[in-house]
Amino acid sequence: MIFTSDKPIYIQMADRLCDEILAGKYVDDDRIPSVREYAVLLEVNTNTAVKAYDELARANIIYNKRGLGYFVTKGARKQILKERKKVFMKERLPELFRQMRMLDISMDDVRAAWEKE
């Protein structure tokens, strides 16, 4: 994974795990890689992975079964979608609309591009 400087690595790791849940790699009650496994996979310090997992546990995306590891919380995918949609609508969409106005891009232009995709 290539990390950016715009947010802490542990947040980027948590986002990646959420992306994997959204993509269906992990579903409700699936076991996810251990903290150590994920740290090795992403080539980061184990403490950084611990912070990522703690963040996801606090957000009720994953839960720990003592001695067994971490698992995806029931409804986690729905919760992630809800939160990400909220952030998109509040933070990204206004900037997108501003750019569209500046560049004279209509909703019809967007619709045509969407249909091509």
Side-chain angles (χ1 to χ4, degrees), residues 2 9 27 37-38 50 61 77 81 83 95 105:
I2 298 172
I9 290 173
V27 297
E37 291 168 340
Y38 215 54
V50 167
I61 302 298
R77 185 178 190 282
L81 278 172
E83 182 59 30
E95 175 58 20
I105 297 173

Side-chain angles (χ1 to χ4, degrees), residues 39-87:
V40 168
L41 176 71
L42 300 182
E43 299 176 344
V44 299
N45 185 293
T46 303
N47 292 331
T48 304
V50 167
K51 286 177 74 172
Y53 277 48
D54 285 348
E55 182 74 19
L56 292 170
R58 270 193 300 280
N60 204 29
I61 302 298
I62 62 174
Y63 64 95
N64 188 8
K65 283 187 182 177
R66 198 160 194 86
L68 296 176
Y70 283 93
F71 295 80
V72 178
T73 302
K74 283 188 190 326
R77 185 178 190 282
K78 186 176 178 180
Q79 183 179 334
I80 295 165
L81 278 172
K82 181 180 175 184
E83 182 59 30
R84 288 203 174 171
K85 283 179 184 180
K86 186 172 85 174
V87 169

Side-chain angles (χ1 to χ4, degrees), residues 10-56:
Y10 78 95
I11 296 292
Q12 293 177 64
M13 290 178 68
D15 286 347
R16 177 187 164 134
L17 197 50
C18 286
D19 289 347
E20 292 171 341
I21 292 169
L22 289 176
K25 183 174 182 177
Y26 305 111
V27 297
D28 291 356
D29 291 319
D30 271 358
R31 185 182 177 281
I32 60 172
S34 72
V35 170
R36 284 192 179 96
E37 291 168 340
Y38 215 54
V40 168
L41 176 71
L42 300 182
E43 299 176 344
V44 299
N45 185 293
T46 303
N47 292 331
T48 304
V50 167
K51 286 177 74 172
Y53 277 48
D54 285 348
E55 182 74 19
L56 292 170

